[in-house]
Amino acid sequence: MSYLDLMVDRRRSEDYRQLSGHIPTAMYKKFKALCAERDVNQSEALEQALTLWFEHGEETSDSPPASSKQNNH
């Protein structure tokens, strides 16, 4: 199955949803470069990264994520 076929299947599947967000430009460029270097598509890389993040989060559930801190202006 080709990359394009895989993406079309995921778009039509009830088991997959699209996720998007804004990240720093440097992180975006590094992510794209590593995906190309490792010959993995961005959806697969994001899925792997989130899986690791979820697993890590279960181990350290005592402290809130850094992004949940609020700026008091």
Side-chain angles (χ1 to χ4, degrees):
M1 178 178 285
S2 74
Y3 169 76
L4 183 58
D5 292 335
L6 177 64
M7 290 296 95
V8 169
D9 284 348
R10 284 184 175 187
R11 285 183 182 141
R12 293 181 181 165
S13 174
E14 289 294 319
D15 295 329
Y16 285 86
R17 293 291 181 257
Q18 184 173 345
L19 175 68
S20 65
H22 292 87
I23 59 173
T25 300
M27 186 180 288
Y28 167 81
K29 288 179 179 181
K30 185 172 184 175
F31 180 74
K32 286 187 63 116
L34 285 172
C35 287
E37 178 182 308
R38 296 175 182 177
D39 195 29
V40 62
N41 72 54
Q42 293 177 30
S43 290
E44 290 170 342
L46 180 59
E47 188 174 344
Q48 291 173 13
L50 287 172
T51 298
L52 290 172
W53 187 53
F54 294 156
E55 290 170 357
H56 178 71
E58 291 172 1
E59 296 169 7
T60 59
S61 59
D62 294 341
S63 59
S67 63
S68 69
K69 295 179 184 176
Q70 295 180 354
N71 290 334
N72 295 325
H73 292 220

